[in-house]
């Protein structure tokens, strides 16, 4: 399943992002490390807008549950969100995180697939795929996913650290 997701992730056409998110993503690709943090915050804010106050509330409740360490409750809220707003990528992305925290990697990968089908430049979902692949003992595939993140968000410190670690593991050399 993860191999399919890597293939799909790389070959998907660009999904319909908001114009503002597209603009911010373009800026992020060339931003300095110092500028990246603010751009990432703005991008995540744009991605969090479902267009529905009720769906935004479900997203907020799911995120709040994750923040306090209650992924079961988060799954309840985020499943309701994805049931009612299946075209809202951020709902799927947060559901994937809740599944990951429960070590439910099959459902996590499915939620990541949904996220990336709706928003192929969702760097958080691609990073999540890398994390799942690492957990599943697929370091070369995880490394490929993390490298894809750098095409979008070149200064992600967690991804840069993961690439350094995996480069050493996969090839015996640091980048």
């Amino acid at each position: 399943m993860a191999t399919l997701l890597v293939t799909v992730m790389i070959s998907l056409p660009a999904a319909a992002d908001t114009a503002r998110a597209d603009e911010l993503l373009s800026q992020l690709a060339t931003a300095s490390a110092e500028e990246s943090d603010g751009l990432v915050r703005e991008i995540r804010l744009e991605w969090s807008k479902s267009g529905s106050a009720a769906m935004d509330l479900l997203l907020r409740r799911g995120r709040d549950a994750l923040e306090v360490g209650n992924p079961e409750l988060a799954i309840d809220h985020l499943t309701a969100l994805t049931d009612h707003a299946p075209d809202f990528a951020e709902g799927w992305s947060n559901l994937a995180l809740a599944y990951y925290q429960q070590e439910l990697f099959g459902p996590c990968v499915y939620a990541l697939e949904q996220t990336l089908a709706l928003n192929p430049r969702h760097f958080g979902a691609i990073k999540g795929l890398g994390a799942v692949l690492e957990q599943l003992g697929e370091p070369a595939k995880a490394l490929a996913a993390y490298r894809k993140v750098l095409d979008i968000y070149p200064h992600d410190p967690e991804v840069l650290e993961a690439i350094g670690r995996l480069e050493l593991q996969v090839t015996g050399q640091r980048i």
Side-chain angles (χ1 to χ4, degrees):
M1 183 187 308
T3 302
L4 172 65
L5 182 55
V6 171
T7 303
V8 169
M9 166 182 87
I10 293 170
S11 63
L12 281 172
D17 287 334
T18 64
R20 179 71 179 139
D22 282 343
E23 176 187 322
L24 292 166
L25 284 163
S26 294
Q27 291 174 24
L28 182 62
T30 59
S32 69
E34 296 78 27
E35 297 168 323
S36 292
D37 289 342
L39 288 167
V40 166
R41 275 191 300 279
E42 287 186 65
I43 291 165
R44 288 185 174 142
L45 180 63
E46 289 299 316
W47 285 346
S48 295
K49 297 175 183 175
S50 71
S52 162
M55 297 306 104
D56 291 349
L57 178 62
L58 284 171
L59 178 62
R60 188 169 39 257
R61 285 184 176 169
R63 286 177 170 171
D64 289 347
L66 285 171
E67 194 172 301
V68 298
N70 191 344
E72 299 92 354
L73 182 59
I75 289 170
D76 290 344
H77 290 302
L78 296 167
T79 298
L81 172 58
T82 58
D83 286 349
H84 289 56
D87 294 332
F88 182 42
E90 201 61 17
W92 289 106
S93 174
N94 283 267
L95 182 57
L97 178 58
Y99 284 138
Y100 183 84
Q101 289 183 4
Q102 288 293 100
E103 297 185 6
L104 298 169
F105 299 128
C108 176
V109 169
Y110 177 77
L112 291 170
E113 287 175 337
Q114 299 306 308
T115 305
L116 293 168
L118 295 164
N119 182 356
R121 296 191 299 169
H122 196 295
F123 49 83
I126 302 168
K127 181 168 45 174
L129 174 61
V132 169
L133 290 167
E134 273 194 86
Q135 289 291 321
L136 296 176
E138 297 283 352
K141 291 176 183 173
L143 180 60
Y146 288 135
R147 285 181 175 154
K148 182 76 175 159
V149 172
L150 293 185
D151 292 340
I152 303 164
Y153 179 9
H155 299 290
D156 184 317
E158 294 171 355
V159 169
L160 292 169
E161 186 274 326
I163 288 173
R165 179 182 66 253
L166 290 173
E167 272 287 330
L168 189 58
Q169 184 179 348
V170 172
T171 68
Q173 302 174 16
R174 285 204 176 267
I175 57 170

